[in-house]
Amino acid sequence: MNEENQFHISFFKPTTERARRNRNKVVVLVSIWAIAVFGFHFLLKAIEKPTPEPVLLEFNKVWDKVKADEASTAEMQVFAKSVLQVTGKVFIQPNHRAAFNNGLTWATFKLADSAQKVAIKEALVDFEKVAKNVEMLTDDKYQSAKSKLAALAAVPLGLNSNELIAKFLPLELRSSMMDSFSEKQKAVVAEAMPFYTIHNQSVLTDTKFLGFPFHYFYTAVFLLILFIGICWFYSYSTDRINKKLGIYE
């Protein structure tokens, strides 16, 4: 080694045999890691296909008639149930939720007969008053008002009040939205439904491995094991190179 280079260290231009071997090893291991991580994601994107949930398929069957206000009772019930299922998702944009609530409330009152409308409206107004001032969701008055509204509103929608989906119904009905369902809100619903019910899927996401979807197992478990394996191999091979070159630390 030239005296002027004895303190020069460069990963890309190693000046010793040990540094050269270390560079080559690091390049190989980083390449393996990059291919394992990014290659898998590129593969996911390459073979994925937009797949609608069953709820969207049901919604699409009746939406044109609902939009034109020509839906039968059964079709209106399908529409209301579809919207209600989507509102149960965790993250819903505020403008989308408002449109869903409008459509659901409008459909509920459109399906109800005159006596049911009076009873549902009274229970809904009462529930909104209680919910506005409630401090704990376990409050007896709140739970009673909620259960009463769920039982009444479930009937015109063809739901059993004991069904889980029916228990969400009081949370999505709005007394201010029962009379009309504007074209603007209909457009929002038509745009929002696919947004929440179409997911990219492929054989990598649908296949189960050790009880997990394969893509989840690969990214959450296999890549972690691979990283640990790469670290172990780097340490092991470095020790071997040092011994081979007579370098002891």
Side-chain angles (χ1 to χ4, degrees):
M1 180 187 300
N2 294 333
E3 185 175 342
E4 63 182 19
N5 291 330
Q6 63 179 331
F7 298 111
H8 175 72
I9 299 175
S10 173
F11 177 81
F12 298 101
K13 294 182 179 181
T15 56
T16 66
E17 178 64 15
R18 180 178 184 272
R20 184 185 66 79
R21 292 191 181 190
N22 185 70
R23 178 204 60 187
N24 294 344
K25 178 174 56 179
V26 169
V27 169
V28 170
L29 294 179
V30 169
S31 297
I32 292 173
W33 176 250
I35 292 172
V37 175
F38 298 107
F40 183 75
H41 285 284
F42 286 137
L43 179 61
L44 273 177
K45 295 297 292 182
I47 66 175
E48 68 184 12
K49 293 182 179 179
T51 305
E53 293 181 15
V55 65
L56 180 60
L57 300 179
E58 293 297 312
F59 172 85
N60 287 337
K61 290 178 183 178
V62 303
W63 174 238
D64 286 340
K65 289 189 176 181
V66 171
K67 185 169 58 174
D69 202 10
E70 298 174 353
S72 65
T73 297
E75 290 168 335
M76 191 67 77
Q77 288 176 337
V78 170
F79 163 73
K81 292 175 184 177
S82 300
V83 171
L84 181 57
Q85 287 183 60
V86 175
T87 60
K89 293 181 179 289
V90 177
F91 299 107
I92 302 289
Q93 295 180 20
N95 63 316
H96 291 167
R97 184 173 292 281
F100 288 147
N101 290 344
N102 187 182
L104 178 61
T105 304
W106 171 78
T108 301
F109 279 87
K110 195 170 182 65
L111 287 166
D113 60 33
S114 56
Q116 289 173 331
K117 287 179 181 178
V118 173
I120 294 172
K121 182 178 180 180
E122 182 180 315
L124 177 55
V125 171
D126 181 56
F127 174 72
E128 288 176 337
K129 289 179 180 178
V130 173
K132 186 177 180 180
N133 300 311
V134 72
E135 295 182 358
M136 298 287 291
L137 295 181
T138 54
D139 182 85
D140 290 341
K141 191 174 182 181
Y142 172 83
Q143 289 296 329
S144 176
K146 181 183 175 184
S147 297
K148 179 181 178 181
L149 177 57
L152 291 170
V155 176
L157 297 183
L159 293 171
N160 186 315
S161 60
N162 293 322
E163 290 183 70
L164 179 61
I165 190 174
K167 298 184 184 301
F168 290 105
L169 190 52
L171 305 178
E172 307 301 336
L173 296 177
R174 301 290 183 271
S175 60
S176 60
M177 297 178 171
M178 61 185 181
D179 294 325
S180 63
F181 188 27
S182 69
E183 292 300 320
K184 181 180 178 180
Q185 292 292 63
K186 288 178 182 178
V188 174
V189 168
E191 175 189 352
M193 283 294 290
F195 182 78
Y196 298 104
T197 56
I198 293 181
H199 312 285
N200 291 321
Q201 294 180 231
S202 69
V203 64
L204 296 177
T205 59
D206 295 340
T207 300
K208 298 287 185 179
F209 185 77
L210 297 180
F212 299 99
F214 180 77
H215 72 293
Y216 176 83
F217 173 85
Y218 183 90
T219 54
V221 180
F222 175 76
L223 287 181
L224 178 60
I225 296 173
L226 177 62
F227 179 76
I228 294 173
I230 287 175
C231 292
W232 175 85
F233 179 79
Y234 177 82
S235 299
Y236 173 76
S237 59
T238 297
D239 287 342
R240 290 195 61 185
I241 291 173
N242 287 345
K243 289 179 180 179
K244 189 173 183 179
L245 297 176
I247 300 173
Y248 299 96
E249 297 180 355

